[in-house]
């Protein structure tokens, strides 16, 4: 039963990782990198950040350091948001490739440990620092899905593309759903509720 649970948790995490990367498909360098919120949220930065969090939670916390970390990785604690954007000399392939290598490293940690194996999250409050692999899996599913949701909104802002994945958009088919009429309906409800 525990192995089944670990398998399911790992599958949910991997689905979120793949959904995040799928949001990059078909875009040019500018659209992958440009900030689209007041806080600078951008697609490559989301991938870079998720690579860093995977390394931290499945590597550092379980004393399984990631081999050959990128030069920016040790600077995360001292350079604000260094992992939230791509510099001009960082290629898209280097960031997506890093994320895929991180998956392999994190998945090796997941495969090697039991769900109740203990680790330490040094940046969490002392009373919560001791964790289990199971708790970190749940934490990282939430973390990765949160950022995949950010990427979904950023991507929709860029070119209107939306959905969970290439094979399963999780949305009504565009040719069977009138999105402009739906949006107008939502807008009208908001105006009515506001007394306009």
């Amino acid at each position: 039963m525990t192995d089944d649970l670990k398998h399911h948790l790992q599958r949910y995490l991997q689905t979120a990782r793949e959904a995040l990367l799928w949001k990059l498909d078909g875009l040019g360098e500018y659209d992958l990198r440009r900030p689209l919120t007041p806080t600078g949220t951008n697609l490559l930065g989301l991938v870079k950040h998720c690579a860093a969090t995977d390394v931290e939670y499945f590597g550092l916390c379980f004393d399984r350091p990631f081999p050959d970390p990128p030069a920016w990785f040790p600077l995360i604690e001292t350079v604000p948001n260094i992992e939230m954007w791509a510099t001009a000399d960082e290629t898209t392939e280097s960031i997506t490739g890093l994320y895929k290598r991180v998956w392999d490293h994190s998945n090796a940690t997941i495969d090697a440990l039991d769900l109740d194996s203990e680790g330490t999250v040094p940046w969490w409050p002392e009373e919560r620092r001791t964790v289990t692999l199971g708790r970190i899996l749940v934490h990282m599913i939430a973390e990765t899905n949160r950022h995949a949701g950010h990427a979904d909104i950023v991507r929709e802002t860029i070119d209107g593309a939306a959905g969970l994945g290439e094979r399963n958009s999780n949305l009504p088919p565009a040719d069977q759903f009138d999105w402009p009429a739906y949006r107008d309906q939502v807008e009208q409800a908001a105006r009515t509720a506001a007394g306009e």
Side-chain angles (χ1 to χ4, degrees):
M1 182 66 171
T2 301
D3 286 342
D4 287 346
L5 177 59
K6 185 164 79 167
H7 168 78
H8 291 303
L9 292 170
Q10 192 169 9
R11 184 174 56 85
Y12 274 94
L13 176 59
Q14 189 60 37
T15 298
R17 290 167 172 162
E18 291 170 5
L20 176 59
L21 272 193
W22 181 63
K23 293 300 168 183
L24 278 57
D25 282 0
L27 293 177
E29 290 300 320
Y30 177 69
D31 284 333
L32 290 171
R33 297 162 182 270
R34 66 180 169 135
L36 287 162
T37 69
T39 58
T41 303
N42 63 90
L43 291 170
L44 270 182
L46 289 168
V47 173
K48 192 173 170 182
H49 173 72
C50 284
T53 57
D54 238 81
V55 165
E56 289 175 326
Y57 283 102
F58 291 113
L60 297 176
C61 295
F62 292 97
D63 199 24
R64 297 175 61 92
F66 182 70
D68 195 26
W72 54 264
F73 189 75
L75 303 174
I76 289 175
E77 296 303 316
T78 56
V79 180
N81 286 347
I82 194 169
E83 85 285 8
M84 296 298 293
W85 62 287
T87 64
D89 61 333
E90 289 179 295
T91 66
T92 297
E93 293 75 22
S94 72
I95 292 171
T96 59
L98 169 67
Y99 196 30
K100 290 176 183 178
R101 286 193 321 278
V102 166
W103 296 352
D104 292 341
H105 182 261
S106 296
N107 287 339
T109 296
I110 295 165
D111 291 342
L113 301 177
D114 294 327
L115 286 177
D116 59 357
S117 296
E118 288 190 350
T120 303
V121 183
W123 54 91
W124 283 11
E126 192 168 335
E127 67 275 6
R128 294 190 299 123
R129 282 186 185 157
T130 301
V131 295
T132 62
L133 176 65
R135 182 171 179 193
I136 293 304
L137 267 164
V138 170
H139 177 81
M140 286 305 297
I141 290 166
E143 172 83 8
T144 307
N145 273 300
R146 177 175 180 251
H147 294 306
H150 293 147
D152 199 26
I153 292 168
V154 168
R155 178 63 189 256
E156 189 173 354
T157 301
I158 292 169
D159 66 0
L164 178 63
E166 186 174 14
R167 290 177 296 229
N168 175 14
S169 73
N170 204 31
L171 296 169
D175 61 343
Q176 297 175 16
F177 196 80
D178 187 348
W179 286 107
Y182 169 75
R183 189 186 181 292
D184 289 346
Q185 179 183 13
V186 174
E187 176 69 24
Q188 186 55 51
R191 290 184 181 280
T192 301
E196 294 181 17

